[in-house]
Amino acid sequence: MKKAAGFHWSPPKGHVDPGEDDFTTALRETKEEAGYDENDLIIDKNTPITLNYQVKKEPKIVIYWLAELRNPNQEPILSEEHTELKWLGKEAAKDCAGFKDFQVMIDKFHEVIVTREKPL
């Protein structure tokens, strides 16, 4: 999770540029905000989660994909908009995020991880 200067913690996110689909936007924003590109990540493209909420009385829709960093020691390269990045366990991430819908998303993604790691 990254922290925007003066704002809250969240994964990379941003506006869809003309000609982009949501997934392309997610990749671009992740590269711009954290320095990780698609080659740095193992992305679960099959389980996106969409959050709908209001910002300054305007509707906002954000789609998140679950991803794993291929090299857990690879340092981020933060954009100038952000002050810090930290990796957190599930409960710490939920505490840090603060928003109920975001906490539910963390639980859902955790369930995907736990289910995938179970032996067949």
Side-chain angles (χ1 to χ4, degrees):
M1 294 179 66
K2 61 175 181 44
K3 185 176 184 181
F7 292 97
H8 60 274
W9 289 94
S10 76
K13 66 181 187 292
H15 298 283
V16 177
D17 284 348
E20 286 184 336
D21 59 25
D22 295 320
F23 186 74
T24 301
T25 298
L27 291 173
R28 178 182 51 76
E29 290 289 340
T30 301
K31 179 66 174 174
E32 289 176 4
E33 297 182 7
Y36 301 126
D37 65 27
E38 189 170 12
N39 295 323
D40 300 321
L41 305 166
I42 301 167
I43 303 168
D44 185 341
K45 295 179 185 177
N46 299 317
T47 57
I49 295 179
T50 302
L51 299 184
N52 296 281
Y53 54 94
Q54 299 273 326
V55 176
K56 298 178 184 174
K57 298 185 181 181
E58 294 293 323
K60 185 162 187 165
I61 300 169
V62 181
I63 303 171
Y64 291 103
W65 282 265
L66 181 62
E68 177 182 349
L69 194 56
R70 289 183 188 277
N71 173 2
N73 296 316
Q74 182 178 349
E75 291 293 324
I77 302 169
L78 295 181
S79 71
E80 293 179 5
E81 319 176 323
H82 302 95
T83 59
E84 51 189 312
L85 179 141
K86 58 184 170 180
W87 298 104
L88 302 166
K90 181 181 85 160
E91 293 305 319
K94 287 170 60 177
D95 289 343
C96 195
F99 299 102
K100 181 65 177 166
D101 59 345
F102 198 87
Q103 294 169 340
V104 169
M105 180 185 72
I106 290 170
D107 282 332
K108 288 179 180 178
F109 278 149
H110 182 262
E111 185 60 31
V112 170
I113 293 166
V114 169
T115 302
R116 178 177 44 207
E117 291 180 353
K118 288 181 182 175
L120 298 175

